[in-house]
Amino acid sequence: ALIRFTQDCHPNYGTSVRAFEIFQLTPSTYVEREVERSPILEGGGREWNRAGMHHVDPHWVAGEWLACVDGWRIDTSDREWD
């Protein structure tokens, strides 16, 4: 299947990554549907992706798929608290 990945910025920039399967792609038509398990990437409990994930790059390496992903966090270590 041909998949298009897209960044979901709701409610904030880079919250998650959604996936859409492309069913028709010609010079005059385009048909896609969001895959059932979308979003496929979201923020997690780890420090590096706590606030969200906003990028995926699939690569075919040595006979298998490798996904390179990008997550982000909000760094509060330099804030002063009352």
Side-chain angles (χ1 to χ4, degrees), residues 13-75:
Y13 167 80
T15 299
S16 63
V17 174
R18 296 189 173 275
F20 294 81
E21 184 174 355
I22 298 171
F23 291 95
Q24 211 173 61
L25 178 61
T26 71
S28 59
T29 60
Y30 182 83
V31 177
E32 70 176 7
R33 249 180 252 124
E34 190 168 6
V35 301
E36 189 174 316
R37 295 183 342 184
S38 192
I40 60 165
L41 291 174
E42 297 179 282
R46 297 186 176 167
E47 188 172 331
W48 71 274
N49 72 342
R50 187 174 303 142
M53 296 186 73
H54 55 88
H55 188 82
V56 61
D57 256 333
H59 297 273
W60 185 252
V61 178
E64 62 184 8
W65 285 103
L66 173 68
C68 301
V69 298
D70 185 6
W72 67 285
R73 64 190 173 104
I74 298 171
D75 186 2

